[in-house]
Amino acid sequence: MFNSLSDRLTATFKNLRGKGRLSEADVDATVREIRRALLDADVAVPVVREFASRVKERALGAEVSAALNPSQQIVKIVNEELVTILGGETRRLRLAKNPPTVIMLAGLQGAGKTTLAGKLSKWLKGQGHSPLLVACDLQRPNAVTQLQVVGQRAGVPVFAPHPGTTSEFDVPTGDPVAVAEAGVAEARQKLHDVVIVDTAGRLGVDAEMMDQARRIREAINPDEVLFVIDAMIGQDAVNTANAFHEGVDFTGVVLSKLDGDARGGAALSVASVTGKPVMFASTGEGVDDFELFHPDRMASRILDMGDILSLIEQAEQNWDKDEAARMAKKFADQEDFTFDDFLAQMQQIRKMGSMKKMLMMMPGAQNMRQQLEQFDEREIDRVEAMVRSMTPHERVAPKIINGSRRARIARGSGVHVSEVNGLLERFGQAQKMMKKMAQGGMPGMPGMSMGAGGGTARKAAKKNAGKKKARSGNPAKAAQELREAEARKANRAPSGAAFGQQAQDFDPSTMELPKGFEKFLGK
């Protein structure tokens, strides 16, 4: 969503690197580029003016002039101001003291409210709640049916006493206000602690539909009214948000279609103009593509600083702790890494979602965005198919996989034999690396043993301990050898040093890597 804006800001900050002092002209040029980048991203003009003014005022102040690295200080200022216009702090749902908590969804036609209702219910269910969806959109054809399908995918019950319309020629019947009231009563009777009311989409200028939304709000007295807005709407986001703010008086904003290819100005405009926080973001088409909106993390993504916290949270939610403990023990015991272990780890990663999305959360991901966009998620499926086409014995002893076995695995997984060969080669290299790391040393690195297990260098030192070089029978030559030994002893590193003479003499250009290691590293 913010790719264009991120690229422009990153390029702007590159021009400041290496400057020990920033002049007023440097600041003016930087702020001018930031202003252009925001306008190109469809951010509302009043928001851009206020943002640029604050950045310039702070950039010309003492916090930059007295900084050791002025360019980094400018980036820090822009990051903090981005967090401010995105809402400042993470805003969470306010739950009712006496359940159920009633959440009403409102928004434009086509903003994605019905799909988002299912995503929100699935997210709340994962938080330990028992939500109920209420179908109050009796205007749009098959809206009730869509909510029932989405609720089924999310594993959440749907209260739909009225079928609504089934075609654009049907005359809407039924009272959405009465359905909303009955839905809240149903939730209270069935002990659901959260009610999500899906209302009909409307236009900002549609007075009749706005009045209907207002009457639903008065009838059910919701704890939260969430305004669902399409993140790709652009400059019109401000006018739409103001119309709904006056008509329905929402308490928070939900951004839908944040995974689109638009410029994302809505996200940077709505919170600042309306004063209402962005609370959630929809990032895909699946029911799990939904997340709590963190202004500080979103600002870091825009500035290509990554979002490691969200990545860690995602891993904690999906990673099997027992499997992680088993792999840690296996690694500590220096057991061989097998294809069964490889398959288990790959399944763990798949639970976390799209590999492409996870990699885009890493710092500096914008620099390799083109490669990431070309990444084929189906490659993981092909690798898994090859592993599953192996027999149990082949998975634990891949060395027995000869030509005929490789041909059978290729046929069973629907790939070429060359792909099976590549997988086996990469897996063999990974096995060697993990074995070296388990032993406590990196391949080909003298004097770099680590851990209690000891590495190759430590084993060699232990093997040679106590061995003394035979002295020459010639007294003059023996004295020369003794002087040389004492000289070497004097030049040797202290016993507590991490590197000995071997490390001092180490020349990386002469280091020999294991066979195939250069290919594994992409050299």
Side-chain angles (χ1 to χ4, degrees), residues 54-305:
R54 286 202 302 263
V55 170
K56 183 175 181 179
E57 181 182 353
R58 293 183 60 183
L60 293 174
E63 62 179 309
V64 173
S65 60
L68 294 175
N69 192 323
S71 62
Q72 290 182 359
Q73 199 69 19
I74 293 287
V75 176
K76 176 176 177 290
I77 291 172
V78 173
N79 181 64
E80 291 174 354
E81 294 301 330
L82 274 176
V83 172
T84 300
I85 68 171
L86 286 170
E89 297 180 353
T90 303
R91 162 78 152 77
R92 301 178 184 273
L93 284 173
R94 297 192 184 114
L95 301 177
K97 293 182 180 178
N98 298 315
T101 299
V102 181
I103 302 172
M104 174 181 169
L105 301 182
L108 289 177
Q109 295 173 352
K113 291 185 306 304
T114 303
T115 303
L116 193 134
K119 293 181 179 184
L120 177 59
S121 66
K122 177 73 179 296
W123 184 82
L124 287 168
K125 185 178 179 181
Q127 301 290 316
H129 296 283
S130 175
L132 174 70
L133 291 167
V134 179
C136 292
D137 185 357
L138 309 180
Q139 303 280 132
R140 181 168 61 85
N142 294 316
V144 175
T145 303
Q146 182 188 357
L147 186 66
Q148 290 172 331
V149 171
V150 171
Q152 185 178 9
R153 289 170 58 194
V156 175
V158 178
F159 179 75
H162 195 283
T165 59
T166 56
S167 73
E168 58 183 344
F169 303 107
D170 290 349
V171 178
T173 58
D175 185 2
V177 179
V179 172
E181 290 179 312
V184 175
E186 175 79 3
R188 190 172 287 113
Q189 180 182 356
K190 297 289 181 66
L191 301 180
H192 294 281
D193 63 344
V194 180
V195 181
I196 302 173
V197 180
D198 179 33
T199 64
R202 61 210 75 240
L203 300 174
V205 295
D206 193 336
E208 181 182 350
M209 297 298 291
M210 277 291 187
D211 181 65
Q212 183 190 100
R214 192 179 300 110
R215 286 187 288 113
I216 292 176
R217 172 168 185 152
E218 291 172 354
I220 62 177
N221 191 24
D223 300 281
E224 296 279 11
V225 179
L226 301 183
F227 171 50
V228 182
I229 186 169
D230 186 341
M232 300 190 292
I233 196 172
Q235 286 277 357
D236 196 45
V238 174
N239 297 331
T240 304
N242 283 331
F244 273 85
H245 190 208
E246 295 172 3
V248 188
D249 189 23
F250 55 84
T251 59
V253 179
V254 181
L255 293 172
S256 65
K257 307 177 187 178
L258 201 60
D259 58 322
D261 57 358
R263 289 169 286 188
L268 300 175
S269 303
V270 173
S272 181
V273 171
T274 64
K276 302 297 183 180
V278 179
M279 296 175 59
F280 297 100
S282 173
T283 57
E285 297 182 1
V287 290
D288 294 315
D289 297 328
F290 183 80
E291 61 187 40
L292 193 65
F293 188 86
H294 299 278
D296 54 341
R297 301 183 191 179
M298 184 57 68
S300 293
R301 290 189 200 182
I302 293 173
L303 295 178
D304 198 21
M305 297 178 184

Side-chain angles (χ1 to χ4, degrees), residues 390-464:
M390 299 176 186
T391 65
H393 185 45
E394 287 171 345
R395 294 183 193 178
V396 297
K399 290 183 179 180
I400 69 170
I401 303 179
N402 54 21
S404 60
R405 290 175 184 264
R406 296 182 188 210
R408 191 204 74 242
I409 293 169
R411 288 195 302 272
S413 54
V415 300
H416 294 289
V417 176
S418 60
E419 295 182 62
V420 178
N421 294 338
L423 174 63
L424 291 171
E425 183 180 351
R426 293 194 301 272
F427 183 78
Q429 294 161 355
Q431 271 189 322
K432 290 178 182 178
M433 284 189 63
M434 296 191 72
K435 189 174 291 187
K436 288 287 184 182
M437 292 172 66
Q439 291 173 351
M442 289 299 290
M445 293 292 283
M448 290 292 286
S449 59
M450 302 179 296
T456 305
R458 179 179 297 179
K459 290 180 179 179
K462 186 176 181 180
K463 184 178 179 180
N464 295 326

